[in-house]
Amino acid sequence: MRLVLLAAVAFAALVAHQRPDWVEQVQGGARLVAARLGDVAPFAADRRSTAARAPEREPDRTQALAAIGRAADAQMDAQAAEDPTARDRVTALLRAAAATMAGSEAMGEFRAMTEARARVADLRERAAAARIAGGDATTAEAQLTRAGAELARLTDAFVGRLAALGVPISRDAAENLAVSANGDDVVALLAAYANVERLEGELRASVAGAADNEALLRRTYAVHATLLAVLETVQAEVVSRIDNLYLPGSPRWTGRRGTSAPTRRAASARSATPGCARRSTPTCVRRT
């Protein structure tokens, strides 16, 4: 994947030098780069995960192309700019684009479902405490019943949203995903794949009748390469978070990296990738 992306970026850099607007503004190249990358600062400061930043709706075509376009332009400009921070700016824009492409209604339902689960757990504890104390648990039990019904509704809604992304799963699998440590990361990853696939289809349709439009084809190729970079960004983050935050022996658990990092990374990749081989893993779901 990295070799493909490097080749794509190199081609995109060549295209950048061939663009008339670049040639006309070559004297002010540094200022042009600064202007194009000037909106990176807000994203660079946000170190939350892609899942935490993902909107609760799918991006429309305009939003997606705007986010991808900024990252594509930054990649091309970084090849020409003698700026040591250019790659950091590209990374920030790719992370911003990743968050945009990871948005979905499924994420909104997932967040609502996890909040409802916490509410049910709290009410269950209150009802149990009231019974143990010999008090009246009627009110808490009534609230628990209503909260349980709402959780069931939200779980069904989440299953439906995932099916709309091309990931049909059972209700039990949805509940397992809700209680897993990286459930939101998996939902973000699935949404990113689905949204990129949809946008790629729209791009193919838009250039189907424009085979002689060289400028459009070059721009479409640059967007395609950037979409691959976005998917790599999301995937790498999910694997890294599993490897460094969730697995026993990770830095979060021990304060240092254990000797089994390659094994942990291999397991992370399997559990984080849609359609992975380990079918027994709760967060391993297959896209269709």
Side-chain angles (χ1 to χ4, degrees):
M1 173 66 78
R2 283 183 172 82
L3 292 177
V4 173
L5 292 175
L6 287 175
V9 171
F11 178 81
L14 176 62
V15 172
H17 282 286
Q18 294 175 341
R19 289 184 299 173
D21 63 319
W22 180 270
V23 174
E24 293 172 2
Q25 301 179 46
V26 68
Q27 296 299 325
R31 290 189 297 275
L32 177 63
V33 172
R36 286 182 175 174
L37 300 180
D39 57 351
V40 176
F43 301 122
D46 192 345
R47 304 309 302 171
R48 293 178 300 160
S49 68
T50 296
R53 292 178 292 121
E56 297 181 355
R57 63 187 182 283
E58 283 85 2
D60 60 30
R61 180 186 175 91
T62 300
Q63 290 174 320
L65 288 178
I68 297 300
R70 285 192 294 268
D73 286 341
Q75 285 183 314
M76 290 187 286
D77 291 336
Q79 297 295 316
E82 296 181 1
D83 183 354
T85 65
R87 294 309 306 171
D88 293 337
R89 293 168 178 165
V90 170
T91 299
L93 281 172
L94 283 175
R95 292 189 73 247
T100 297
M101 298 305 293
S104 69
E105 276 82 2
M107 181 61 79
E109 298 293 353
F110 177 83
R111 290 168 180 164
M113 181 176 62
T114 53
E115 291 175 1
R117 289 186 67 87
R119 172 68 172 164
V120 167
D122 179 63
L123 289 172
R124 186 176 291 122
E125 290 180 1
R126 291 184 185 182
R131 287 193 295 269
I132 293 173
D136 185 5
T138 303
T139 300
E141 289 175 347
Q143 292 176 335
L144 178 59
T145 299
R146 291 193 295 271
E150 177 64 8
L151 175 58
R153 185 191 69 79
L154 290 171
T155 301
D156 290 338
F158 176 63
V159 171
R161 293 297 187 183
L162 280 183
L165 291 178
V167 189
I169 64 174
S170 68
R171 200 170 187 279
D172 287 342
E175 292 174 348
N176 288 337
L177 193 60
V179 299
S180 64
N182 65 329
D184 59 342
D185 291 332
V186 174
V187 174
L189 182 62
L190 293 172
Y193 271 94
N195 290 329
V196 166
E197 182 179 7
R198 175 172 54 84
L199 184 57
E200 284 276 15
E202 294 176 358
L203 290 175
R204 285 194 297 270
S206 66
V207 301
D212 57 342
N213 189 332
E214 185 176 354
L216 177 60
L217 293 177
R218 286 177 174 174
R219 183 59 179 175
T220 300
Y221 183 86
V223 170
H224 169 72
T226 305
L227 286 172
L228 294 180
V230 165
L231 288 180
E232 184 184 40
T233 298
V234 180
Q235 177 82 19
E237 181 189 284
V238 171
V239 173
S240 176
R241 284 171 59 80
I242 296 174
D243 197 32
N244 294 292
L245 296 179
Y246 303 130
L247 289 181
S250 66
R252 182 175 181 177
W253 289 69
T254 64
R256 60 183 176 84
R257 183 174 294 277
T259 57
S260 60
T263 301
R264 293 199 309 274
R265 283 195 291 270
S268 301
R270 286 195 298 271
S271 65
T273 304
C276 62
R278 292 180 59 188
R279 309 313 307 168
S280 61
T281 304
T283 56
C284 180
V285 291
R286 181 181 297 276
R287 296 187 66 249
T288 58

